[in-house]
Amino acid sequence: MDEFDLIEQYFRKGVRPRDDVLCGIGDDAAIVSMPEGQRLVIASDSLIAGTHFPDQTPAHALGYRCMAVNLSDLAAMAAQPLWATLALSLPEPDADWLEAFAEGFFESAAGADVALIGGDTVRGPLSMTVTAHGCVEEGRHVTRTGAAIGDRIYVTGTVGDARAGLDVLLQKRSKSASNDKLLHRFLYPSPRVTPGRQLAGVATAMIDVSDGLHDDLGKLLHASGFGADLELALLPISEELLQFAGADAAVGIALSGGDDYELCFTISPDHESQLERLVEHWDCSATCIGEVSGEMEARWWHNGELHAVAGPAFSHF
Ligand code: ADP
Ligand code: MG
Protein backbone atom coordinates (compact mmCIF):
# COMPACT_ATOMS: atom_id res chain seq x y z
CA MET A 1 0.00 0.00 0.00
CA ASP A 2 1.61 3.30 -1.02
CA GLU A 3 0.87 6.65 0.58
CA PHE A 4 -1.64 7.60 -2.09
CA ASP A 5 -3.68 4.38 -1.71
CA LEU A 6 -3.66 4.76 2.03
CA ILE A 7 -4.98 8.33 1.92
CA GLU A 8 -7.59 7.41 -0.67
CA GLN A 9 -8.80 4.29 1.11
CA TYR A 10 -8.84 5.40 4.71
CA PHE A 11 -9.15 9.15 4.70
CA ARG A 12 -10.57 10.62 1.52
CA LYS A 13 -13.48 8.17 1.44
CA GLY A 14 -14.70 9.00 4.92
CA VAL A 15 -14.89 12.75 4.40
CA ARG A 16 -18.22 14.47 4.96
CA PRO A 17 -18.65 17.03 2.25
CA ARG A 18 -19.19 20.64 3.28
CA ASP A 19 -20.26 23.39 0.87
CA ASP A 20 -17.58 25.71 2.20
CA VAL A 21 -14.74 23.35 1.14
CA LEU A 22 -13.74 24.50 -2.35
CA CYS A 23 -10.77 22.15 -2.56
CA GLY A 24 -10.21 19.31 -0.09
CA ILE A 25 -7.96 16.23 0.06
CA GLY A 26 -6.07 15.53 -3.16
CA ASP A 27 -4.41 18.81 -4.08
CA ASP A 28 -1.36 20.57 -2.71
CA ALA A 29 -3.40 22.47 -0.16
CA ALA A 30 -7.01 22.95 0.81
CA ILE A 31 -9.15 25.98 -0.02
CA VAL A 32 -12.13 26.92 2.11
CA SER A 33 -14.48 29.84 2.22
CA MET A 34 -14.94 31.66 5.53
CA PRO A 35 -18.47 32.53 6.61
CA GLU A 36 -19.22 36.30 6.49
CA GLY A 37 -18.57 38.30 9.62
CA GLN A 38 -16.74 35.44 11.36
CA ARG A 39 -13.25 35.16 12.76
CA LEU A 40 -11.07 32.12 12.06
CA VAL A 41 -10.08 30.12 15.18
CA ILE A 42 -7.27 27.54 14.89
CA ALA A 43 -6.12 24.84 17.33
CA SER A 44 -3.48 22.14 16.95
CA ASP A 45 -2.80 19.26 19.30
CA SER A 46 -0.52 16.24 18.94
CA LEU A 47 -0.83 12.79 20.48
CA ILE A 48 2.51 10.98 20.72
CA ALA A 49 2.75 7.27 21.58
CA GLY A 50 4.22 6.80 25.03
CA THR A 51 3.77 10.47 25.96
CA HIS A 52 0.05 11.08 25.55
CA PHE A 53 -1.30 7.55 25.42
CA PRO A 54 -0.07 4.10 26.43
CA ASP A 55 0.68 1.40 23.82
CA GLN A 56 -2.47 -0.54 24.62
CA THR A 57 -4.75 2.32 23.50
CA PRO A 58 -7.06 0.96 20.77
CA ALA A 59 -6.70 2.53 17.30
CA HIS A 60 -10.40 3.46 17.19
CA ALA A 61 -10.07 5.44 20.42
CA LEU A 62 -6.90 7.17 19.15
CA GLY A 63 -8.70 8.29 16.02
CA TYR A 64 -11.62 9.56 18.05
CA ARG A 65 -9.45 11.22 20.63
CA CYS A 66 -7.06 13.12 18.36
CA MET A 67 -10.06 14.86 16.78
CA ALA A 68 -11.95 15.30 20.06
CA VAL A 69 -9.13 17.07 21.92
CA ASN A 70 -8.93 19.68 19.17
CA LEU A 71 -12.69 20.18 19.18
CA SER A 72 -12.36 20.82 22.89
CA ASP A 73 -9.79 23.58 22.26
CA LEU A 74 -12.12 25.24 19.76
CA ALA A 75 -15.03 24.91 22.20
CA ALA A 76 -12.97 26.71 24.84
CA MET A 77 -12.82 29.75 22.52
CA ALA A 78 -16.60 29.55 21.90
CA ALA A 79 -15.89 28.60 18.28
CA GLN A 80 -17.94 26.53 15.85
CA PRO A 81 -15.74 23.73 14.42
CA LEU A 82 -15.59 23.58 10.60
CA TRP A 83 -12.54 21.83 9.16
CA ALA A 84 -9.52 19.78 10.20
CA THR A 85 -6.21 18.51 8.86
CA LEU A 86 -4.47 15.36 10.07
CA ALA A 87 -0.72 14.71 10.11
CA LEU A 88 -0.10 11.04 10.78
CA SER A 89 3.22 9.33 11.46
CA LEU A 90 3.04 5.52 11.33
CA PRO A 91 5.70 2.88 11.94
CA GLU A 92 4.03 0.76 9.23
CA PRO A 93 0.77 0.91 7.27
CA ASP A 94 -1.29 -1.71 9.13
CA ALA A 95 -4.68 -2.06 7.41
CA ASP A 96 -6.66 -3.12 10.51
CA TRP A 97 -5.17 -0.35 12.58
CA LEU A 98 -5.85 2.28 9.90
CA GLU A 99 -9.42 1.14 9.39
CA ALA A 100 -10.22 1.37 13.11
CA PHE A 101 -8.34 4.67 13.48
CA ALA A 102 -10.16 6.29 10.55
CA GLU A 103 -13.53 5.05 11.84
CA GLY A 104 -12.92 6.62 15.25
CA PHE A 105 -11.64 9.82 13.66
CA PHE A 106 -14.66 10.28 11.42
CA GLU A 107 -17.08 9.39 14.20
CA SER A 108 -15.72 12.24 16.28
CA ALA A 109 -15.56 14.62 13.29
CA ALA A 110 -19.14 13.81 12.28
CA GLY A 111 -20.34 14.63 15.78
CA ALA A 112 -19.30 18.24 15.17
CA ASP A 113 -19.91 18.33 11.40
CA VAL A 114 -16.21 18.79 10.71
CA ALA A 115 -14.74 18.02 7.28
CA LEU A 116 -11.23 16.58 6.95
CA ILE A 117 -9.61 18.78 4.29
CA GLY A 118 -6.02 17.54 4.16
CA GLY A 119 -3.00 16.39 6.04
CA ASP A 120 0.23 14.49 5.72
CA THR A 121 1.18 10.84 6.08
CA VAL A 122 4.72 9.76 6.85
CA ARG A 123 6.57 6.74 8.17
CA GLY A 124 7.95 7.17 11.67
CA PRO A 125 7.14 6.67 15.36
CA LEU A 126 3.38 6.56 16.00
CA SER A 127 1.97 10.05 16.41
CA MET A 128 -0.91 12.11 15.16
CA THR A 129 -1.41 15.86 14.95
CA VAL A 130 -4.77 17.36 14.15
CA THR A 131 -5.22 21.02 13.33
CA ALA A 132 -8.82 22.09 13.69
CA HIS A 133 -10.31 25.25 12.24
CA GLY A 134 -13.47 26.92 13.42
CA CYS A 135 -15.18 30.27 13.45
CA VAL A 136 -16.75 32.64 15.91
CA GLU A 137 -18.84 35.77 15.34
CA GLU A 138 -16.80 38.96 15.45
CA GLY A 139 -16.42 40.17 19.02
CA ARG A 140 -18.03 37.07 20.62
CA HIS A 141 -14.98 34.87 21.14
CA VAL A 142 -14.00 33.92 24.71
CA THR A 143 -10.37 33.77 25.84
CA ARG A 144 -8.67 33.02 29.15
CA THR A 145 -8.21 36.68 29.95
CA GLY A 146 -11.61 38.22 30.67
CA ALA A 147 -12.48 37.04 34.21
CA ALA A 148 -13.38 39.81 36.67
CA ILE A 149 -13.57 39.88 40.48
CA GLY A 150 -16.90 38.46 41.64
CA ASP A 151 -17.44 36.35 38.50
CA ARG A 152 -18.76 32.87 39.25
CA ILE A 153 -16.53 29.96 38.25
CA TYR A 154 -18.18 26.97 36.60
CA VAL A 155 -17.07 23.60 35.31
CA THR A 156 -19.06 21.33 32.98
CA GLY A 157 -19.70 17.62 33.58
CA THR A 158 -17.56 15.83 36.16
CA VAL A 159 -13.81 15.99 36.72
CA GLY A 160 -11.23 13.31 37.50
CA ASP A 161 -12.92 10.46 35.63
CA ALA A 162 -10.40 10.26 32.78
CA ARG A 163 -7.43 10.00 35.14
CA ALA A 164 -9.09 7.06 36.86
CA GLY A 165 -9.93 5.61 33.42
CA LEU A 166 -6.25 5.68 32.52
CA ASP A 167 -5.54 3.45 35.53
CA VAL A 168 -8.21 1.06 34.30
CA LEU A 169 -6.60 1.01 30.85
CA LEU A 170 -3.21 0.27 32.42
CA GLN A 171 -4.94 -2.60 34.23
CA LYS A 172 -4.17 -1.18 37.63
CA ARG A 173 -7.85 -1.78 38.37
CA SER A 174 -10.18 -4.65 37.69
CA LYS A 175 -12.97 -4.52 35.12
CA SER A 176 -16.46 -3.57 36.27
CA ALA A 177 -19.36 -1.69 34.73
CA SER A 178 -18.44 1.35 36.80
CA ASN A 179 -14.75 1.21 35.87
CA ASP A 180 -15.68 0.73 32.22
CA LYS A 181 -17.41 4.10 32.31
CA LEU A 182 -14.21 5.70 33.63
CA LEU A 183 -12.19 3.95 30.92
CA HIS A 184 -14.61 5.27 28.33
CA ARG A 185 -14.14 8.79 29.66
CA PHE A 186 -10.39 8.48 29.03
CA LEU A 187 -10.65 6.87 25.60
CA TYR A 188 -13.58 8.88 24.25
CA PRO A 189 -13.59 12.44 25.55
CA SER A 190 -16.81 14.39 24.89
CA PRO A 191 -15.71 17.82 23.69
CA ARG A 192 -18.24 20.38 24.96
CA VAL A 193 -18.87 21.96 21.58
CA THR A 194 -22.47 23.08 22.15
CA PRO A 195 -21.82 24.55 25.60
CA GLY A 196 -18.74 26.34 24.27
CA ARG A 197 -20.73 27.83 21.37
CA GLN A 198 -23.56 28.96 23.58
CA LEU A 199 -21.15 30.63 25.97
CA ALA A 200 -20.02 32.99 23.18
CA GLY A 201 -20.66 36.49 24.46
CA VAL A 202 -21.78 35.08 27.85
CA ALA A 203 -18.66 33.65 29.54
CA THR A 204 -16.05 36.23 30.51
CA ALA A 205 -13.20 33.69 30.31
CA MET A 206 -12.91 30.02 29.44
CA ILE A 207 -10.41 27.13 29.22
CA ASP A 208 -10.77 23.43 28.55
CA VAL A 209 -9.62 21.07 31.28
CA SER A 210 -6.88 18.92 29.79
CA ASP A 211 -4.13 19.11 32.42
CA GLY A 212 -6.36 18.98 35.51
CA LEU A 213 -8.87 21.44 36.95
CA HIS A 214 -6.58 23.12 39.46
CA ASP A 215 -3.83 23.58 36.87
CA ASP A 216 -6.05 24.78 34.06
CA LEU A 217 -8.15 27.08 36.21
CA GLY A 218 -4.82 28.45 37.45
CA LYS A 219 -3.90 29.31 33.85
CA LEU A 220 -7.21 31.09 33.32
CA LEU A 221 -6.82 33.07 36.55
CA HIS A 222 -3.23 33.96 35.79
CA ALA A 223 -4.18 35.15 32.30
CA SER A 224 -7.00 37.24 33.78
CA GLY A 225 -4.75 38.61 36.53
CA PHE A 226 -6.83 37.38 39.47
CA GLY A 227 -7.25 34.52 41.93
CA ALA A 228 -10.24 32.63 43.28
CA ASP A 229 -11.99 31.21 46.31
CA LEU A 230 -13.27 27.71 45.63
CA GLU A 231 -15.20 25.11 47.62
CA LEU A 232 -13.99 21.51 47.55
CA ALA A 233 -17.45 20.30 48.52
CA LEU A 234 -18.86 21.78 45.30
CA LEU A 235 -16.57 19.80 42.96
CA PRO A 236 -18.63 17.73 40.50
CA ILE A 237 -17.43 14.17 41.12
CA SER A 238 -19.07 11.16 39.48
CA GLU A 239 -20.45 8.15 41.35
CA GLU A 240 -17.99 6.05 39.36
CA LEU A 241 -15.00 8.04 40.59
CA LEU A 242 -16.26 7.89 44.17
CA GLN A 243 -16.55 4.12 43.89
CA PHE A 244 -13.15 3.91 42.26
CA ALA A 245 -11.19 5.98 44.73
CA GLY A 246 -13.27 6.64 47.84
CA ALA A 247 -14.39 10.13 48.83
CA ASP A 248 -11.05 11.55 50.01
CA ALA A 249 -8.86 10.35 47.14
CA ALA A 250 -11.57 11.26 44.62
CA VAL A 251 -11.20 14.94 45.55
CA GLY A 252 -7.47 14.84 44.82
CA ILE A 253 -8.05 13.15 41.47
CA ALA A 254 -10.80 15.63 40.59
CA LEU A 255 -8.44 18.53 41.30
CA SER A 256 -5.34 17.21 39.56
CA GLY A 257 -6.34 14.48 37.11
CA GLY A 258 -6.03 15.39 33.43
CA ASP A 259 -7.73 14.46 30.14
CA ASP A 260 -11.33 15.24 31.11
CA TYR A 261 -11.87 17.84 28.36
CA GLU A 262 -14.56 19.62 30.31
CA LEU A 263 -14.91 23.40 30.08
CA CYS A 264 -14.08 25.69 32.99
CA PHE A 265 -15.48 29.20 32.59
CA THR A 266 -16.37 32.36 34.43
CA ILE A 267 -19.55 34.41 34.11
CA SER A 268 -20.74 37.60 35.70
CA PRO A 269 -23.37 37.02 38.44
CA ASP A 270 -25.82 38.97 36.22
CA HIS A 271 -25.71 36.18 33.66
CA GLU A 272 -26.42 33.25 35.98
CA SER A 273 -30.12 32.94 35.14
CA GLN A 274 -29.26 33.08 31.43
CA LEU A 275 -26.76 30.28 32.02
CA GLU A 276 -29.42 28.18 33.75
CA ARG A 277 -31.58 28.41 30.65
CA LEU A 278 -28.69 27.48 28.36
CA VAL A 279 -27.71 24.44 30.44
CA GLU A 280 -31.17 22.92 29.92
CA HIS A 281 -30.13 22.28 26.31
CA TRP A 282 -26.74 20.74 27.10
CA ASP A 283 -26.01 17.07 27.53
CA CYS A 284 -23.89 17.87 30.57
CA SER A 285 -24.24 19.80 33.80
CA ALA A 286 -22.50 23.04 34.76
CA THR A 287 -21.50 23.39 38.40
CA CYS A 288 -20.51 26.56 40.21
CA ILE A 289 -17.37 25.81 42.23
CA GLY A 290 -16.37 29.26 43.43
CA GLU A 291 -15.77 32.89 42.67
CA VAL A 292 -13.01 35.06 41.21
CA SER A 293 -11.18 37.07 43.89
CA GLY A 294 -8.59 39.81 44.04
CA GLU A 295 -6.08 37.51 45.75
CA MET A 296 -3.42 36.33 43.33
CA GLU A 297 -3.98 32.64 44.00
CA ALA A 298 -6.60 29.91 43.71
CA ARG A 299 -7.63 29.03 47.27
CA TRP A 300 -9.58 25.83 47.85
CA TRP A 301 -11.71 25.80 51.00
CA HIS A 302 -13.09 22.87 52.93
CA ASN A 303 -15.28 23.40 56.01
CA GLY A 304 -13.97 26.94 56.29
CA GLU A 305 -10.33 25.86 56.20
CA LEU A 306 -7.75 26.24 53.47
CA HIS A 307 -6.90 23.05 51.62
CA ALA A 308 -3.41 22.65 50.13
CA VAL A 309 -3.59 21.01 46.72
CA ALA A 310 -1.32 17.96 46.60
CA GLY A 311 0.72 16.96 43.57
CA PRO A 312 3.21 18.85 41.45
CA ALA A 313 4.08 22.37 42.54
CA PHE A 314 1.58 24.92 41.34
CA SER A 315 3.81 27.16 39.27
CA HIS A 316 1.40 29.53 37.60
CA PHE A 317 1.66 32.32 40.13
P1 ADP B 1 2.11 17.03 -1.14
O1 ADP B 1 3.23 16.12 -1.45
O2 ADP B 1 1.76 17.99 -2.22
O3 ADP B 1 2.23 17.67 0.22
P2 ADP B 1 0.74 14.67 -0.35
O4 ADP B 1 1.06 13.65 -1.41
O5 ADP B 1 1.48 14.66 0.92
O6 ADP B 1 0.81 16.09 -1.03
O7 ADP B 1 -0.80 14.57 -0.01
C1 ADP B 1 -1.74 14.42 -1.02
C2 ADP B 1 -3.07 14.94 -0.53
O8 ADP B 1 -3.53 14.10 0.50
C3 ADP B 1 -3.03 16.35 0.02
O9 ADP B 1 -4.23 16.98 -0.33
C4 ADP B 1 -2.97 16.15 1.51
O10 ADP B 1 -3.56 17.23 2.19
C5 ADP B 1 -3.77 14.87 1.68
N1 ADP B 1 -3.37 14.04 2.84
C6 ADP B 1 -2.19 13.46 3.09
N2 ADP B 1 -2.22 12.74 4.23
C7 ADP B 1 -3.46 12.88 4.74
C8 ADP B 1 -4.12 12.41 5.90
N3 ADP B 1 -3.52 11.62 6.81
N4 ADP B 1 -5.41 12.78 6.09
C9 ADP B 1 -6.03 13.58 5.19
N5 ADP B 1 -5.47 14.05 4.09
C10 ADP B 1 -4.19 13.71 3.85
MG1 MG C 1 2.54 19.60 -2.93
Side-chain angles (χ1 to χ4, degrees), residues 3 6-7 11 24-29 86-88 116-121:
E3 184 196 338
L6 184 158
I7 295 164
F11 296 110
I25 295 176
D27 217 305
D28 292 306
L86 166 66
L88 194 56
L116 181 65
I117 56 171
D120 199 16
T121 308

Side-chain angles (χ1 to χ4, degrees), residues 70 98 128 138 161 179 194 204 210 221 226 241 306 309:
N70 281 278
L98 276 161
M128 50 227 65
E138 239 181 281
D161 297 337
N179 284 352
T194 300
T204 50
S210 52
L221 292 168
F226 294 116
L241 182 59
L306 260 184
V309 176

Side-chain angles (χ1 to χ4, degrees), residues 131-181:
T131 301
H133 308 76
C135 65
V136 64
E137 303 79 11
E138 239 181 281
R140 298 202 14 118
H141 62 268
V142 181
T143 65
R144 299 176 180 183
T145 61
I149 294 175
D151 281 358
R152 306 273 192 264
I153 301 170
Y154 280 80
V155 63
T156 60
T158 55
V159 280
D161 297 337
R163 179 62 190 80
L166 175 60
D167 271 0
V168 178
L169 180 65
L170 296 173
Q171 296 187 319
K172 292 184 187 167
R173 291 304 180 95
S174 58
K175 300 275 287 173
S176 70
S178 173
N179 284 352
D180 276 355
K181 282 194 188 163

Side-chain angles (χ1 to χ4, degrees), residues 234-257:
L234 297 177
L235 279 174
I237 297 178
S238 71
E239 277 304 315
E240 289 80 15
L241 182 59
L242 283 175
Q243 255 188 51
F244 175 93
D248 285 349
V251 168
I253 299 173
L255 283 176
S256 308

Side-chain angles (χ1 to χ4, degrees), residues 65-144:
R65 210 162 180 279
C66 71
M67 183 72 238
V69 300
N70 281 278
L71 295 176
S72 177
D73 278 327
L74 291 185
M77 309 302 287
Q80 175 68 46
L82 300 169
W83 317 295
T85 59
L86 166 66
L88 194 56
S89 167
L90 295 171
E92 61 195 329
D94 175 325
D96 289 343
W97 190 95
L98 276 161
E99 178 128 9
F101 176 86
E103 203 182 293
F105 182 90
F106 285 117
E107 199 178 307
S108 176
D113 198 20
V114 166
L116 181 65
I117 56 171
D120 199 16
T121 308
V122 296
R123 193 181 285 266
L126 182 62
S127 78
M128 50 227 65
T129 301
V130 170
T131 301
H133 308 76
C135 65
V136 64
E137 303 79 11
E138 239 181 281
R140 298 202 14 118
H141 62 268
V142 181
T143 65
R144 299 176 180 183

Side-chain angles (χ1 to χ4, degrees), residues 11-30:
F11 296 110
R12 190 165 167 169
K13 272 192 191 159
V15 171
R16 289 191 131 206
R18 283 186 61 106
D19 291 345
D20 51 14
V21 180
L22 311 180
C23 178
I25 295 176
D27 217 305
D28 292 306

